[in-house]
Amino acid sequence: MRLALAATCIGDAMFPQAPRAVVTLLERLGHEVVFPPAQACCGQMHVNTGYLAEAVPVVQNHVRTFAPVADGEWDAVVVPSGSCTGSIRHQQAMVLERAGLRAEARTATAVAERTYELSELLVDVLGVTDVGAWFPHRVTYHPTCHSLRMLGVGDKPERLLRAVEGLELAPLAEAEGCCGFGGTFSLKNSDTSTAMLADKVANVVDTGAEVVTAGDWSCLMHIGGGLSRGGTGVRPMHLAEILASTRESPVVPGAGQAVAR
Amino acid sequence: MSTFLGMPAAREGAGPSPQAAPGTLSGIGRPEDPLHWGASFPDAAKAALENGQLRRNLGKATSTIRTKRARVVGEVPDWEALRDAGSAVKTDVLARLPELLEELERNVTARGGVVHWARDAVEANRIVADLVRAKGADEVVKVKSMATQEIGLNEALAEEGIAAVETDLAELIVQLADDMPSHILVPAIHRNRTEIRDIFLERMADAPPDLTDVPRELAMAARSHLRRKFLSAKVAISGANFAVADTGTLAVVESEGNGRMCLTLPETLITVMGIEKLIPTFDDLEVFLQLLPRSSTGERMNPYTSMWTGVTPGDGPQEFHLVLLDNGRTKVLADEAGRSALHCIRCSACLNVCPVYERVGGHAYGSVYPGPIGAILTPQLTGEKSDLPYASTLCGACYEVCPVKIDIPSILVELRAREVSLSGASPETADRVWKAAMKAASFAMADGGRFRRAARVPRLLRAISRNGVIRRLPFPGSLWTRSRDLMEPPQQTFHDWWAEREERR
């Protein structure tokens, strides 16, 4: 398949190891990956903070950039983020509609219908759960709120992880509880966010895992920030990084390195 | 002192919040406006987070009720269909509210009740006070009611020399402590049994002096205190869970039986009800009497369901008044984006699953309507600028459990957009800073080339990183680094990496 990658703004600027791992993984599975360079951000931060007018040009740019998927130029768009996929699916058309941009809103809907979060793409579209990965570490999985509730990815990420050779999946207590990130919530309500993070960090540490993984680098940035401040030694890694790891080209926890060349 | 994550430390064994008066008072008191009081949400939340006792009480209570709810909801095979039905009935009610209210008025009147219309809190309180005074009563018994909390009825009656006695156990505890409820269904959720014993000993005149904190003893003390009130009261005041338009029937569901005492023993019954509490037909009760108890108390069926239709000679109250309260509801109804907040049947399931509520409790919301539903209802009812729409991570747990499918996260986003436009009208510094940052980000993120250049900026922070992390940033970055490290930005953005790779090919 010919797949367009939406790297997400945070993945692009702060955690490029995740979109790089997506490239590695999908190419290994025999697919062609395209990165439309005009992309920037899905607009979620602006929408969720209430800046709808400021979100419009950001959303327009995303929709314009990925519109070719609606014309069949690519088979699908893949996003290594549950919350960005959620915003693309549930917010972009609304933002454009409210700005009176009807035609662009229709395009947004068409793009959204062909846009998938990574675990959805792998399991539902490409039909694989065993991606041939090798990652001999004890790992715990945090189901991010938007993956879980906005997208309903269910147990797809866990099915992918269970199929990884050498990986030991440690159950996380109160897994479905929010980590307290919430985008600008982490700043506007810093104290409450920190209280939620403290509980998440404690639960992650209790698993005895070396690595905590999720489908969203934003939540991982939050959880990872707490794990680091607490001196716990537990490393945050994106699901894609684990799935990209193989015997031939292993990914080391915490090295932040990607394997694609 | 702070914990390792830089959050306010829970004070072991600490009782009420620091500003509290000695003993049992919460320091909240009885605010002038029950819909909007206290400090800003972030400040009130900070104070609550410092109260270790409060955090333990809340965590224990909400997790218990969460588990119970999940279990009994799991037993119902057609739960999703029931939610759809509940939501559909409420949508229908809101679509033809005036017509249904008139139908209710006709049917209540035809069966011997008297209907009053109140535009706001002042009017509603005036109507009730006049009715009580006309009966010559100086004490009334009350069934727990959010509508009367919302309008501050007890305080208004007190000014007229009328004592309103709350008969719901938790509501009585809150009233005795001169406190505000901290939860819609469990108003005293922020108290443990030791605190309750102290409140009784200090403030309930007929409490046994040797009272312990054994739950049964506490319940018995309240029971004998209240029994005397039930038997002497001439007037009772209630809210309503449901009002059936086509029969004129009112319904109250409760767990303790105190409600039934109030609804049957006194000569006069006054019910204050928000105008959205309507359902069209008696058959619709079938849906809600399944949805409500499982969602609220985690019970299959609520212990007491009381229904009354007008008056019945020789049986129950011989005089019945229904006060239909607007108090901002028609304003909410007029807002297409937010009106489904009026679907709410006050089950409080959203409070019990909300990770924010669980940490900070109800008082932080500064309104009788706390939690996720309060965060959308309060700003809509008051129409004022509010920080409550931001008191959520948009995690979606509230929407998932709502028995009438109120999409709370989406409404929160709508209300945030409204807050942004309200802050444009009277700019505070913080609002201006946010606006400038969002504008700049919008500019940078609306174009691939501009973003590629902007995305390189974070790597400048590598200069201050140690061992791959940044531990301290100046304001506003300090809001992050005071409790969390920031991972050092990469040397190369994905955009640049991809471009390099393409060139190599």
Side-chain angles (χ1 to χ4, degrees):
Chain A
M1 278 194 180
R2 205 168 139 79
L3 303 164
L5 168 65
T8 78
C9 62
I10 192 173
D12 198 336
M14 288 293 290
F15 305 101
Q17 63 268 37
R20 281 162 73 171
V22 174
V23 176
T24 306
L25 171 66
L26 293 176
E27 288 181 349
R28 191 175 80 219
L29 294 173
H31 302 284
E32 185 191 350
V33 181
V34 177
F35 178 73
Q39 66 180 279
C41 171
C42 67
Q44 183 191 185
M45 177 184 72
H46 284 99
V47 177
N48 283 355
T49 314
Y51 289 82
L52 296 191
E54 287 76 8
V56 172
V58 181
V59 170
Q60 278 180 305
N61 181 64
H62 180 94
V63 172
R64 257 198 315 268
T65 304
F66 290 98
V69 76
D71 302 328
E73 192 170 328
W74 311 309
D75 295 302
V77 177
V78 58
V79 193
S81 159
S83 69
C84 301
T85 307
S87 184
I88 290 164
R89 227 175 259 175
H90 298 291
Q91 295 181 328
Q92 288 195 336
M94 174 273 284
V95 168
L96 297 172
E97 192 77 44
R98 284 169 70 123
L101 304 164
R102 294 261 159 75
E104 287 183 70
R106 277 195 297 276
T107 310
T109 304
V111 171
E113 281 167 358
R114 292 162 182 80
T115 299
Y116 301 91
E117 180 269 343
L118 179 65
S119 71
E120 292 178 334
L121 179 90
L122 291 169
V123 176
D124 295 343
V125 182
L126 305 181
V128 285
T129 45
D130 185 345
V131 297
W134 179 74
F135 191 74
H137 301 279
R138 186 171 166 88
V139 175
T140 193
Y141 170 73
H142 167 65
T144 65
C145 299
H146 287 175
S147 299
L148 192 69
R149 303 196 185 90
M150 222 174 177
L151 300 185
V153 300
D155 65 349
K156 283 165 209 162
E158 280 118 315
R159 276 156 62 196
L160 289 160
L161 287 167
R162 280 198 203 97
V164 173
E165 200 189 338
L167 186 146
E168 189 190 347
L169 190 60
L172 177 65
E174 293 169 62
E176 295 185 2
C178 179
C179 73
F181 175 58
T184 49
F185 176 85
S186 61
L187 306 179
K188 282 181 179 267
N189 283 284
S190 185
D191 292 298
T192 310
S193 168
T194 299
M196 292 162 71
L197 176 62
D199 292 341
K200 182 60 73 180
V201 162
N203 286 325
V204 168
V205 169
D206 283 348
T207 65
E210 264 176 274
V211 168
V212 57
T213 191
D216 265 278
W217 248 117
S218 52
C219 312
L220 284 174
M221 176 173 74
H222 194 236
I223 299 169
L227 287 166
S228 168
R229 180 61 53 95
T232 65
V234 186
R235 302 291 189 165
M237 284 177 79
H238 194 280
L239 177 66
E241 295 174 68
I242 292 176
L243 299 181
S245 176
T246 56
R247 271 182 201 278
E248 295 71 38
S249 192
V251 176
V252 179
Q257 71 175 50
V259 285
R261 289 259 165 245
Chain B
M1 206 189 99
S2 63
T3 64
F4 78 92
L5 279 176
M7 61 182 284
R11 291 180 300 128
E12 286 300 313
S17 51
Q19 72 271 34
T24 52
L25 302 186
S26 70
I28 299 292
R30 290 282 174 173
E32 204 146 286
D33 182 357
L35 271 177
H36 183 193
W37 41 271
S40 73
F41 182 82
D43 289 347
K46 186 172 197 281
L49 287 164
E50 283 165 4
N51 186 338
Q53 184 66 59
L54 174 72
R55 263 163 66 192
R56 278 191 298 278
N57 295 353
L58 282 168
K60 189 161 186 289
T62 56
S63 76
T64 305
I65 197 163
R66 262 201 311 271
T67 312
K68 238 176 114 186
R69 179 208 156 272
R71 194 174 59 231
V72 298
V73 162
E75 295 171 348
V76 184
D78 60 345
W79 183 253
E80 288 309 312
L82 274 172
R83 286 177 79 207
D84 285 333
S87 181
V89 170
K90 282 297 185 179
T91 304
D92 174 45
V93 165
L94 297 182
R96 49 194 189 101
L97 191 59
E99 168 201 332
L100 288 172
L101 282 169
E102 282 172 19
E103 188 184 352
L104 177 74
E105 180 181 36
R106 268 197 313 278
N107 288 321
V108 169
T109 309
R111 286 159 180 83
V114 183
V115 176
H116 310 258
W117 298 76
R119 269 169 299 204
D120 56 22
V122 174
E123 276 191 13
N125 289 334
R126 179 82 267 138
I127 292 165
V128 175
D130 287 349
L131 289 169
V132 176
R133 269 221 308 251
K135 297 276 100 185
D138 58 6
E139 187 170 277
V140 298
V141 285
K142 278 192 73 204
V143 184
K144 171 177 161 32
S145 139
M146 290 309 298
T148 59
Q149 282 278 6
E150 173 188 326
I151 60 177
L153 177 65
N154 293 5
E155 293 70 28
L157 290 177
E159 279 177 27
E160 309 264 342
I162 301 161
V165 179
E166 294 290 351
T167 66
D168 172 85
L169 178 55
E171 202 65 68
L172 175 68
I173 294 163
V174 167
Q175 183 179 40
L176 288 172
D178 267 328
D179 200 356
M180 287 298 275
S182 177
H183 189 283
I184 289 174
L185 188 83
V186 198
I189 195 169
H190 55 306
R191 302 288 196 178
N192 64 18
R193 59 192 197 184
T194 315
E195 292 172 277
I196 293 166
R197 182 208 50 199
D198 293 348
I199 291 167
F200 280 6
L201 283 176
E202 202 175 297
R203 309 204 131 205
M204 198 164 76
D206 48 1
D210 56 349
L211 187 64
T212 73
D213 65 0
V214 173
R216 187 180 154 75
E217 268 193 54
L218 296 171
M220 295 309 284
R223 187 184 162 106
S224 59
H225 169 76
L226 289 171
R227 183 60 53 102
R228 283 186 279 278
K229 306 285 182 187
F230 291 134
L231 293 174
S232 63
K234 298 267 186 289
V235 180
I237 297 171
S238 84
N241 290 99
F242 306 102
V244 183
D246 78 342
T247 59
T249 302
L250 278 294
V252 160
V253 299
E254 37 113 16
S255 301
E256 296 169 11
N258 63 299
R260 179 159 295 175
M261 299 279 216
C262 296
L263 296 165
T264 53
L265 288 173
E267 292 160 13
T268 299
L269 172 60
I270 305 167
T271 298
V272 182
M273 179 191 106
I275 51 174
E276 82 285 13
K277 290 278 177 170
L278 269 180
I279 53 173
T281 72
F282 201 83
D283 286 348
D284 296 319
L285 278 172
E286 173 197 329
V287 173
F288 294 100
L289 291 181
Q290 293 183 75
L291 287 173
L292 183 55
R294 288 185 199 255
S295 299
S296 56
T297 50
E299 291 168 301
R300 296 181 179 89
M301 193 177 177
N302 56 282
Y304 294 88
T305 301
S306 302
M307 298 192 205
W308 66 100
T309 310
V311 293
T312 306
D315 184 18
Q318 296 300 291
E319 205 178 303
F320 169 55
H321 296 269
L322 176 62
V323 181
L324 295 170
L325 175 72
D326 182 342
N327 208 34
R329 286 164 176 75
T330 49
K331 203 165 55 193
V332 183
L333 184 63
D335 183 349
E336 208 181 318
R339 80 168 56 128
S340 66
L342 296 179
H343 286 195
C344 179
I345 55 172
R346 309 283 187 262
C347 73
S348 73
C350 62
L351 278 64
N352 300 323
V353 297
C354 178
V356 173
Y357 178 89
E358 183 183 348
R359 303 312 188 294
V360 305
H363 289 161
Y365 293 78
S367 165
V368 291
Y369 298 114
I373 185 65
I376 61 170
L377 195 54
T378 301
Q380 290 198 87
L381 286 173
T382 64
E384 293 165 10
K385 196 168 168 343
S386 166
D387 43 25
L388 291 179
Y390 293 97
S392 164
T393 62
L394 307 179
C395 82
C398 48
Y399 184 24
E400 195 174 53
V401 297
C402 178
V404 285
K405 294 190 120 170
I406 303 172
D407 184 354
I408 295 175
S410 293
I411 298 176
L412 286 169
V413 169
E414 283 289 339
L415 293 175
R416 290 176 184 190
R418 196 193 68 173
E419 291 305 318
V420 168
S421 54
L422 286 176
S423 68
S426 64
E428 293 167 29
T429 315
D431 291 334
R432 283 210 305 272
V433 170
W434 274 105
K435 180 99 183 167
M438 288 292 163
K439 268 191 179 316
S442 167
F443 180 77
M445 288 170 162
D447 178 273
R450 280 201 296 267
F451 181 72
R452 187 177 167 184
R453 288 186 293 279
R456 292 172 188 150
V457 174
R459 73 181 174 199
L460 298 175
L461 289 171
R462 292 175 69 90
I464 57 162
S465 78
R466 295 284 175 273
N467 302 320
V469 295
I470 295 154
R471 302 190 73 98
R472 187 177 282 184
L473 283 171
F475 187 82
S478 57
L479 291 171
W480 180 274
T481 52
R482 42 181 289 237
S483 62
R484 300 151 277 217
D485 289 347
L486 184 68
M487 273 146 261
E488 84 178 353
Q491 261 162 332
Q492 189 180 40
T493 67
F494 182 80
H495 250 95
D496 287 344
W497 174 82
W498 180 271
E500 221 179 87
R501 182 174 116 127
E502 290 296 283
E503 272 171 33
R504 275 204 308 271
R505 290 190 156 197

